[in-house]
Amino acid sequence: MLEHLQEFYAHVSGFFEFDVLDLIGRYGPWFYPLTVIWTFLEGETFLIFAGYAASLGLLDFSILVACAWAGSFAGDQLWFILGRRYGQHLLQRFPRWIGGIETALMLARKYNTAFILSFRFIYGIRNVSSFALGMSGLKWLRYLVLNLIAAGLWAITFAGAGHLFGQASQAVLGNAARNFSLLMLAVFICVAWFVVMLHRRHRRKLAEAESTTQR
């Protein structure tokens, strides 16, 4: 049965002549600064795929984690500073942030350290949490230390997930795993996009309901 599965995915791989993994192999050194930039913005999906590439020996896993760690730390540290200095002014310009920020502040008051260490993993408020914490009056040094730890946990978790997936797929599918991973990545991106659209639609309906109630 395993041989048939490998043969099937070998045929499927023919649809993926454009091999992203080959590009990573050719331009690997440039992939590390790209990792810093991407994770500065966010990049869970990117990091999972990069971890998979590392499992194939195309990237150095330790350097990859260090770059993702640095990018994630710097990005959230910047948002903390912006929240600290310009929080109220920016909220006036972008009032749609208010709901997420209020949720983040509520969770920060309730769970404190645990929230700071885990907000990167919470969908829906991940992007505004550092900004909210900057507005909360949290001490600079405390956030810097906890943010450094949290960024490391995040980088190791997602890069490690991709690396483990790579090792498992290699064990099951053999050489066909390279192209199968591209298929799975495409499916994952489509599913993630669909979930994001549903979430935005749900939040828009809630906002419309609240607006109607206030009237």
Side-chain angles (χ1 to χ4, degrees):
M1 181 176 179
L2 180 58
E3 293 179 358
H4 289 299
L5 186 60
Q6 290 175 339
E7 183 179 353
F8 170 75
Y9 285 119
H11 287 297
V12 171
S13 67
F15 292 101
F16 295 90
E17 295 178 359
F18 179 71
D19 195 339
V20 177
L21 296 175
D22 282 344
L23 288 178
I24 295 174
R26 292 177 190 176
Y27 305 104
W30 292 99
F31 203 80
Y32 298 117
L34 178 62
T35 298
V36 175
I37 295 170
W38 208 303
T39 54
F40 181 90
L41 301 172
E42 194 169 334
E44 284 88 351
T45 305
F46 174 89
L47 191 54
I48 290 172
F49 186 70
Y52 177 85
S55 75
L56 300 178
L58 299 175
L59 296 170
D60 184 288
F61 183 75
S62 298
I63 297 176
L64 175 67
V65 169
C67 290
W69 192 334
S72 180
F73 170 77
D76 281 293
Q77 201 66 35
L78 175 61
W79 278 109
F80 179 84
I81 293 170
L82 290 175
R84 189 86 163 188
R85 295 185 177 179
Y86 311 109
Q88 292 299 331
H89 175 70
L90 289 173
L91 279 185
Q92 290 175 1
R93 293 194 59 185
F94 304 100
R96 65 180 182 276
W97 293 359
I98 294 176
I101 287 174
E102 288 178 347
T103 301
L105 289 174
M106 181 270 292
L107 292 172
R109 286 191 293 268
K110 187 173 182 179
Y111 298 107
N112 205 307
T113 301
F115 174 73
I116 300 173
L117 293 175
S118 63
F119 71 77
R120 283 175 171 82
F121 302 90
I122 304 175
Y123 178 78
I125 61 169
R126 185 255 184 274
N127 293 333
V128 299
S129 292
S130 291
F131 185 87
L133 289 166
M135 296 179 63
S136 70
L138 182 68
K139 292 183 179 179
W140 285 78
L141 182 59
R142 175 174 169 75
Y143 180 75
L144 187 145
V145 172
L146 291 175
N147 185 37
L148 184 64
I149 296 171
L153 293 173
W154 178 86
I156 292 170
T157 298
F158 285 99
H163 197 275
L164 288 175
F165 173 75
Q167 291 181 325
S169 61
Q170 283 285 312
V172 174
L173 301 175
N175 293 332
R178 287 174 62 93
N179 295 99
F180 174 67
S181 69
L182 298 181
L183 174 63
M184 289 301 296
L185 180 63
V187 171
F188 180 83
I189 291 173
C190 289
V191 171
W193 178 84
F194 181 72
V195 171
V196 168
M197 291 301 103
L198 285 179
H199 177 72
R200 287 181 178 176
R201 183 179 178 184
H202 178 67
R203 290 190 64 178
R204 186 167 59 249
K205 286 184 176 180
L206 286 178
E208 291 175 353
E210 290 178 1
S211 176
T212 302
T213 301
Q214 290 175 357
R215 290 176 187 175

